[in-house]
Amino acid sequence: KRTLLDNALYVMRCGYVLPVMQTLEHWANRIDQSLTRYFVVQILEMVEPPFSYPFVQSLLKILSGPLINEAMKSNEYLKEFISHCSSSGKIYKWTEDEKKLI
């Protein structure tokens, strides 16, 4: 399963970010949470601002799961991502659910 996620990360590096993110959105509640956390950490290590709004929305949907949200709170990459998103409030139009995560 982890090999599949590593392949998905490779596909992201090749430029197919949103299709991979949308796929993970569907998988996130169906696969082991440790695999979801692994994938999110790998994504956060790979990306840099500025982030597109669709990417941010997709990542926030993945992070909205209670188990992953709690497990990821201490991750430095996640803190940087949230800090950037919080400071970019004028760029991103947050929904109320997204505001709760940020």
Side-chain angles (χ1 to χ4, degrees):
K1 293 178 185 178
R2 191 168 169 165
T3 302
L4 179 62
L5 293 177
D6 287 334
N7 289 332
L9 288 164
Y10 173 75
V11 172
M12 285 183 77
R13 286 185 190 101
C14 292
Y16 297 96
V17 174
L18 292 180
V20 172
M21 294 297 291
Q22 291 166 349
T23 301
L24 184 61
E25 283 179 46
H26 295 291
W27 289 353
N29 292 325
R30 296 182 181 109
I31 64 173
D32 186 88
Q33 292 299 302
S34 66
L35 293 172
T36 304
R37 285 190 305 270
Y38 166 78
F39 193 73
V40 169
V41 167
Q42 295 301 310
I43 290 170
L44 291 171
E45 288 178 359
M46 181 173 52
V47 299
E48 294 180 3
F51 306 113
S52 72
Y53 184 61
F55 171 79
V56 171
Q57 279 185 310
S58 184
L59 190 55
L60 289 177
K61 285 179 188 173
I62 295 164
L63 291 170
S64 67
L67 294 175
I68 190 164
N69 191 334
E70 187 63 35
M72 294 288 298
K73 279 187 177 178
S74 63
N75 183 282
E76 289 301 315
Y77 291 107
L78 181 60
K79 288 178 184 177
E80 289 176 25
F81 174 77
I82 290 174
S83 173
H84 173 77
C85 291
S86 297
S87 66
S88 302
K90 293 178 183 174
I91 298 170
Y92 306 121
K93 296 175 184 144
W94 304 117
T95 65
E96 289 305 313
D97 288 338
E98 291 169 342
K99 286 179 186 176
K100 290 176 189 174
L101 291 171
I102 295 176

